[in-house]
Amino acid sequence: MATRVVIFFKTMQAARCPTDELSLTNCAVVSEKDLQSGQHVTVRTTPAHKFVFTVKCHHSVLPGTIAFSLPQRKWAGLSIGQEIEVANYNYDKSKQCIGAMTIEIDFLQKKSTDSNPYDSDKMAAEFIQHFNNQGFTVGQQLVFSFCDKLFGLFIKDIEAMDSSILKGEPESGKKQKIEIGLLVGNSQVIFEKSESSSLTLVGKAKTKEARQTIINPEWNFEKMGIGGLDKEFSDIFRRAFASRVFPPDIVEQMGCKHVKGILLFGPPGCGKTLMARQIGKMLNAREPKIVNGPEILNKYVGESEANIRKLFADAEEEQKRLGANSGLHIIIFDELDAICKQRGTSSGSTGVHDTVVNQLLSKIDGVEQLNNILVIGMTNRPDLIDDALMRPGRFEVKMEIGLPDEKGRVQILNIHTAKMKEFNLLSGDVDVKELAAETKNYSGAELEGLVRAAQSTAMNRHIKATSTVEVDMERAEKLQVTRTDFMASLNNDIKPAFGTNQEDYSCYIMNGIIKWGDPVTRVLEDGELLVQQTKNSDRTPLVSVLLEGPPHSGKTALAAKISEDSQFPFIKICSPDKMIGHSEISKCQAIKKVFDDAYKSQLSCVVVDDIERLLDYVPIGPRFSNLVLQALLVLLKKTPPHGRKLLIIGTTSRKDVLQEMEMLDAFSTTIHVQNISSGEHLVEALELLGSFTDAERTTIAQNVKGKRVWIGIKKLLMLIEMSLQMDQAYRVSKFLSLLKDEGADRGFYE
């Protein structure tokens, strides 16, 4: 609600402050008929002397009078009953917001002195909360209550806040002294004890240190240990913290409520906990409370809910005491899905999870709303969390912390190698950009692990492998981590959880691709076109192709070759041999996990091999798994999230079966892979394989010339290897015999 500004100018009488409690507010006290609480006025005592006060209304003050505390009367030279001129005063918030204020402090009464240390940081936070949105003048005197002690304060120096910060721009660095300023939530208060004081101060606020930089959007991510999350941090700042940077009265006039909850989700090791930790450090707030989800749960009835209430108790108490001036309380929940599962889904009969969720809901955004909290939740499984927690007003800022891109990986590697560079322990041949290009789909934690593994490899070179483990100190002093160390760790030690496992598809193309004719070349060319379409087309983020053909024609090898040549950061083969013995439900879950992992990468390729085997199809009956069929139909058509692209390559030997199951329509296109069907193609394949001598190939060519053959490349390889086990004189005849038998079964080789 906007504050009504009353235009005011009149002569009033000075009076004594009605209560001690009002004296501690540092406000001039007036009647509600004269002014409104929170307004600022100038008090002119003589033509040359005027003072600025913030006013507060109280029913005990008579209209036409304005009451001052003793320190205020001393400062302004006022006496009881004195007539003074009072007028409105409006602060120019672009020039008069306090950036930093230096205050001299001492015990108010000498008899109440003690030797206890007083934390100036807590004192500064309490001061800002207590006197938020009040005007202060250089030379002003006031009384301040802290830890049940009264202190006398003297305003020594005021610096204006850099106006760039209020605009969300980088600091200009200009410091301007002012006489009168308005205290706001992100002002810095510096306490200095008086020269003759016996007061003991501890903490940072007793020295000058610019606090407004803490809320500056221009972060030094590398010093904070954060890399690859610039955009995410920017978005979180815009959504969650922008309202906390502005003066509270502007926020109130806009009717703006602060964001109370942030949910960070994404794959493990991508920096969710690190980001939450830094959010806690970056704000001028209470020390964050960090809670692991399972720690909340307790075997005793009601204790789990009590643990939730304890987390919010301090924030509730402070809001009741200080209202809008209360400081920010941050509560960080790690593994949020452990305690906030969907209600009604727990298998146990106790219902503990449900009541914990209910308690958390009521505390974050219940009937009695708290506006001084920020709850940060972290999870790898946002799908498990109760829907009520995800609505606006609760965890309304949902931020996916995904796998870093190449620029992000450069930042992360620079962070983890900075110390080695500083002490000249990183060899000059290590190129961070090259490592970033080689580490597709690595998470931040995996990149840190890669650096550690390279360090271990380098250190291992300087350990003597004798009966005792000794370090060669002479060589150790010249220790350097080289490019070879990084490459060895990359190939052997650290593999990305969401990356491409080369062993998955290398076994399918261990004999290479035998381009025995145009049919093979055409399949590879069409596959390359589909790869380029997936990379470049924004209209088709999902591309799916089915390679169909007779058994042993090399469909899986071609699919693996197309996926390998794509150089996509994520390549996975969904194969029936990894699901032997799985139930229908567990098979569906395994297939879904492959696709879910693929959605987390910018570019992904999934090979769904031998689809009829995945479906448990047998011709007797016929019988197949309808559950797996429906899961595949859904996943083959599901478009990946915005900004992600997916290529699906399926293989089958039973196109007719998939046609009956209405699965062919789920693929964007179909490519036919055919067998070797002519003698010329057979001879070409033999020449490429190089298993027989020139003379042997000539004999085979004469025998197959003009004949119709029909054999898959895999079967051909098997026949060749079988023939090669014979003596050289019989190899050709054995091969031709096996070839004839193979073709005779199908009516070929005529």
Side-chain angles (χ1 to χ4, degrees):
M1 185 186 292
T3 306
R4 183 165 58 89
V5 177
V6 181
I7 305 302
F8 184 88
F9 181 88
K10 67 185 292 188
T11 302
M12 300 181 78
Q13 243 182 19
R16 184 180 284 109
C17 192
T19 67
D20 290 342
E21 189 179 343
L22 285 169
S23 296
L24 293 173
T25 63
N26 191 41
C27 291
V29 189
V30 296
S31 168
E32 293 175 351
K33 294 179 181 177
D34 290 331
L35 286 165
Q36 291 183 340
S37 290
Q39 279 185 257
H40 311 290
V41 296
T42 57
V43 172
R44 189 183 294 273
T45 55
T46 68
H49 294 88
K50 64 177 182 180
F51 303 87
V52 178
F53 292 94
T54 304
V55 300
K56 194 176 186 72
C57 296
H58 196 264
H59 61 85
S60 64
V61 179
L62 296 173
T65 61
I66 180 165
F68 299 96
S69 65
L70 180 60
Q72 288 172 326
R73 294 200 304 274
K74 279 184 179 178
W75 170 54
L78 293 166
S79 56
I80 304 298
Q82 180 180 344
E83 288 196 347
I84 50 179
E85 291 180 3
V86 180
N88 273 95
Y89 184 85
N90 293 317
Y91 282 94
D92 181 350
K93 288 182 179 160
S94 65
K95 297 177 182 176
Q96 287 186 292
C97 283
I98 294 175
M101 181 163 68
T102 308
I103 302 172
E104 273 193 6
I105 183 169
D106 195 3
F107 293 107
L108 186 64
Q109 297 173 329
K110 296 298 179 186
K111 63 182 180 182
S112 64
T113 59
D114 60 38
S115 58
N116 294 331
Y118 288 88
D119 190 329
S120 57
D121 295 327
K122 291 180 180 177
M123 194 180 280
E126 189 80 24
F127 183 91
I128 290 168
Q129 289 165 13
H130 197 63
F131 299 117
N132 197 18
N133 213 31
Q134 283 194 32
F136 288 90
T137 308
V138 173
Q140 184 176 345
Q141 298 171 25
L142 65 149
V143 177
F144 175 50
S145 175
F146 180 73
C147 293
D148 298 327
K149 285 277 184 185
L150 292 177
F151 296 91
L153 307 184
F154 174 79
I155 308 301
K156 190 176 175 183
D157 183 66
I158 299 176
E159 269 181 14
M161 182 177 288
D162 191 338
S163 59
S164 306
I165 290 173
L166 297 176
K167 298 172 188 172
E169 298 172 357
E171 253 190 295
S172 65
K174 294 177 183 175
K175 303 292 182 187
Q176 186 178 358
K177 303 278 186 184
I178 52 175
E179 286 296 310
I180 300 172
L182 185 70
L183 189 73
V184 291
N186 53 314
S187 299
Q188 183 193 4
V189 175
I190 303 124
F191 285 104
E192 291 180 357
K193 69 174 185 175
S194 303
E195 286 183 15
S196 58
S197 175
S198 60
L199 178 67
T200 305
L201 286 179
V202 294
K204 291 179 184 174
K206 63 178 181 176
T207 56
K208 205 159 201 177
E209 185 178 39
R211 180 170 294 163
Q212 52 261 46
T213 56
I214 295 175
I215 55 161
N216 190 347
E218 295 294 322
W219 294 92
N220 186 336
F221 288 101
E222 296 197 2
K223 282 187 181 174
M224 295 172 72
I226 297 176
L229 296 174
D230 303 45
K231 182 183 179 298
E232 289 83 351
F233 222 102
S234 254
D235 289 346
I236 288 175
F237 187 91
R238 176 179 58 83
R239 290 291 311 280
F241 306 137
S243 64
R244 300 184 189 275
V245 172
F246 276 79
D249 59 326
I250 295 178
V251 175
E252 192 176 339
Q253 286 168 18
M254 290 177 71
C256 174
K257 286 185 179 178
H258 298 310
V259 166
K260 296 177 188 174
I262 302 173
L263 182 69
L264 305 178
F265 65 93
C270 287
K272 297 184 294 297
T273 307
L274 175 63
M275 182 176 272
R277 203 180 296 132
Q278 297 301 349
I279 288 170
K281 287 180 183 176
M282 83 178 205
L283 287 178
N284 174 23
R286 301 285 178 272
E287 187 70 24
K289 294 179 181 175
I290 301 175
V291 188
N292 288 320
E295 290 175 1
I296 291 292
L297 303 177
N298 194 298
K299 65 180 180 179
Y300 295 108
V301 175
E303 283 298 310
S304 301
E305 296 88 323
N307 288 338
I308 293 284
R309 288 194 292 274
K310 284 174 192 171
L311 292 173
F312 292 86
D314 292 345
E316 285 179 330
E317 185 273 329
E318 193 170 298
Q319 180 156 302
K320 283 177 186 172
R321 184 162 50 89
L322 298 171
N325 293 334
S326 171
L328 179 64
H329 292 254
I330 298 175
I331 301 167
I332 299 173
F333 282 96
D334 205 358
E335 305 300 340
L336 185 67
D337 51 283
I339 59 168
C340 292
K341 287 188 173 69
Q342 292 275 358
R343 285 172 289 182
T345 58
S346 299
S347 55
S349 58
T350 59
V352 171
H353 280 95
D354 292 1
T355 54
V356 169
V357 174
N358 294 339
Q359 184 70 75
L360 191 57
L361 289 171
S362 66
K363 285 297 175 189
I364 296 176
D365 189 31
V367 177
E368 294 182 5
Q369 289 190 343
L370 291 171
N371 204 31
N372 61 343
I373 57 166
L374 180 64
V375 183
I376 304 172
M378 293 169 284
T379 181
N380 303 326
R381 297 290 306 276
D383 53 303
L384 296 180
I385 294 173
D386 192 88
D387 294 336
L389 274 167
M390 310 292 272
R391 73 158 176 78
R394 288 164 185 167
F395 287 103
E396 66 178 274
V397 178
K398 292 176 274 293
M399 185 64 59
E400 181 176 5
I401 310 298
L403 297 167
D405 57 12
E406 191 165 326
K407 182 184 170 188
R409 293 195 295 275
V410 169
Q411 289 180 0
I412 294 166
L413 287 165
N414 277 328
I415 287 166
H416 294 303
T417 56
K419 200 135 193 175
M420 289 193 286
K421 287 176 185 171
E422 184 185 341
F423 292 99
N424 198 29
L425 294 172
L426 192 68
S427 174
D429 64 353
V430 176
D431 183 358
V432 169
K433 289 183 179 176
E434 181 198 6
L435 288 174
E438 291 290 328
T439 49
K440 293 174 184 173
N441 274 26
Y442 275 66
S443 68
E446 285 160 349
L447 289 170
E448 186 182 359
L450 176 68
V451 174
R452 278 202 306 269
Q455 290 167 340
S456 301
T457 307
M459 286 189 281
N460 196 53
R461 287 201 306 270
H462 297 79
I463 295 174
K464 294 177 183 175
T466 58
S467 55
T468 58
V469 178
E470 294 177 7
V471 177
D472 188 343
M473 292 308 294
E474 289 182 13
R475 291 179 62 199
E477 288 176 3
K478 299 175 184 176
L479 171 70
Q480 279 204 323
V481 183
T482 65
R483 179 182 179 277
T484 310
D485 298 324
F486 275 100
M487 289 303 167
S489 302
L490 198 62
N491 295 326
N492 304 319
D493 297 327
I494 308 294
K495 298 288 182 186
F498 297 96
T500 301
N501 186 355
Q502 195 169 358
E503 294 169 4
D504 272 0
Y505 57 79
S506 59
C507 63
Y508 294 110
I509 46 177
M510 60 183 181
N511 295 310
I513 298 296
I514 313 301
K515 297 181 182 177
W516 48 262
D518 289 342
V520 180
T521 309
R522 277 199 300 270
V523 172
L524 291 172
E525 286 173 352
D526 289 348
E528 174 60 22
L529 283 175
L530 292 167
V531 167
Q532 293 305 319
Q533 180 185 342
T534 309
K535 280 182 183 175
N536 304 324
S537 171
D538 292 327
R539 294 184 176 181
T540 53
L542 173 67
V543 176
S544 55
V545 57
L546 179 68
L547 302 185
E548 59 83 19
H552 312 303
S553 55
K555 299 179 295 297
T556 305
L558 288 166
K561 181 64 176 172
I562 292 167
S563 62
E564 184 187 36
D565 290 348
S566 72
Q567 294 294 301
F568 282 4
F570 181 96
I571 302 170
K572 277 284 166 76
I573 295 184
C574 182
S575 176
D577 60 6
K578 294 175 184 171
M579 300 183 193
I580 296 169
H582 280 35
S583 65
E584 283 186 299
I585 292 173
S586 61
K587 192 180 284 190
C588 289
Q589 289 171 340
I591 296 170
K592 184 176 182 295
K593 186 178 186 307
V594 170
F595 279 83
D596 285 344
D597 289 350
Y599 298 145
K600 291 169 185 171
S601 179
Q602 302 292 327
L603 273 174
S604 305
C605 177
V606 174
V607 178
V608 185
D609 190 31
D610 214 353
I611 294 175
E612 63 272 18
R613 291 285 70 77
L614 276 174
L615 295 173
D616 297 332
Y617 170 79
V618 288
I620 304 166
R623 297 191 313 178
F624 62 93
S625 168
N626 188 49
L627 203 63
V628 177
L629 172 65
Q630 298 305 324
L632 276 173
L633 286 173
V634 170
L635 292 168
L636 288 171
K637 294 180 180 178
K638 184 182 175 184
T639 308
H642 180 69
R644 313 288 163 85
K645 296 183 176 183
L646 175 62
L647 171 64
I648 303 171
I649 306 173
T651 70
T652 183
S653 301
R654 294 299 304 267
K655 181 183 175 183
D656 56 324
V657 171
L658 300 195
Q659 179 74 58
E660 288 180 21
M661 293 178 181
E662 299 182 348
M663 188 178 259
L664 284 187
D665 296 335
F667 288 94
S668 311
T669 186
T670 304
I671 298 175
H672 179 66
V673 181
Q674 68 180 58
N675 277 346
I676 297 172
S677 56
S678 70
E680 290 75 14
H681 285 157
L682 178 68
V683 174
E684 180 71 20
L686 291 175
E687 191 172 333
L688 289 169
L689 287 165
S691 301
F692 292 109
T693 63
D694 290 346
E696 288 172 331
R697 280 201 302 276
T698 304
T699 307
I700 293 170
Q702 289 169 352
N703 278 273
V704 298
K705 189 176 181 181
K707 298 282 181 74
R708 285 200 310 145
V709 296
W710 186 256
I711 187 168
I713 188 70
K714 279 173 71 178
K715 180 66 78 172
L716 178 62
L717 277 168
M718 183 60 66
L719 299 187
I720 291 169
E721 290 303 313
M722 224 172 134
S723 305
L724 292 176
Q725 308 312 310
M726 302 286 291
D727 291 335
Q728 192 161 2
Y730 303 103
R731 290 197 308 193
V732 172
S733 58
K734 181 62 178 176
F735 173 73
L736 291 170
S737 169
L738 291 169
L739 188 65
K740 186 174 182 181
D741 292 343
E742 183 67 27
D745 293 340
R746 294 170 175 79
F748 290 99
Y749 200 75
E750 297 169 353

